[in-house]
Amino acid sequence: MSDDGDFYRFWYEGVDRFLETADDAAASAFLGSTARACSESMPRGAYERAFSGGRTVAEALVELRAEFEDFDYELHADYADIYYARCGCPLVTSGKARSPRLCRCSAVSLTLNWEAVLGEGFVRVVTVSTVLGGGDR
């Protein structure tokens, strides 16, 4: 019998194979579900705490910068550019997942986190580069 490490390695290899071979609709459905679970696991709470107590967007962004070491932003009159300097997905940072399609999960999760505090329709997430897609961070 293999140890848990082997089990998870094989399991994630199966997820990677699925992501690389699934059509867009199937991959999007899977990643939408995983993104919701990721958002609910911890990050959304950090966003909700940052915006709690009637904080302004500017104040909340300062809170988020303190919460996430890789977080930065540029605040404009009617929008903000948000930057995450490195991948924060534990599946990627641990080397368990390798499919660049997995980064769609992060984009959806971020959308859910921001919509939780700003409302639906006020958020647009654009992925500029990803580690799994060949980016350096």
Side-chain angles (χ1 to χ4, degrees):
M1 184 87 173
S2 63
D3 68 15
D4 283 351
D6 283 341
F7 168 80
Y8 289 114
R9 181 175 55 84
F10 285 115
W11 194 88
Y12 287 116
E13 285 174 4
V15 170
D16 278 338
R17 277 193 305 278
F18 168 76
L19 289 174
E20 290 304 308
T21 60
D23 63 43
D24 280 341
S28 291
F30 175 77
L31 293 171
S33 178
T34 58
R36 185 165 306 284
C38 175
S39 173
E40 292 170 355
S41 71
M42 184 287 263
R44 186 174 65 198
Y47 290 79
E48 290 170 339
R49 284 188 303 278
F51 279 83
S52 68
R55 287 189 182 108
T56 66
V57 170
E59 292 167 334
L61 290 172
V62 170
E63 291 292 319
L64 288 168
R65 184 186 277 162
E67 177 80 23
F68 301 111
E69 67 184 52
D70 64 327
F71 179 93
D72 204 3
Y73 64 90
E74 291 178 25
L75 187 57
H76 305 278
D78 58 350
Y79 69 96
D81 290 321
I82 308 296
Y83 305 97
Y84 299 88
R86 66 175 178 80
C87 180
C89 176
L91 297 176
V92 175
T93 58
S94 68
K96 289 181 173 67
R98 294 181 296 280
S99 172
R101 268 182 141 179
L102 182 67
C103 300
R104 290 186 194 174
C105 177
S106 293
V108 173
S109 180
L110 287 170
T111 300
L112 293 169
N113 294 339
W114 284 103
E115 285 182 344
V117 294
L118 299 176
E120 289 186 31
F122 293 99
V123 177
R124 183 173 69 110
V125 173
V126 176
T127 303
V128 176
S129 71
T130 67
V131 172
L132 294 178
D136 61 350
R137 298 189 271 177

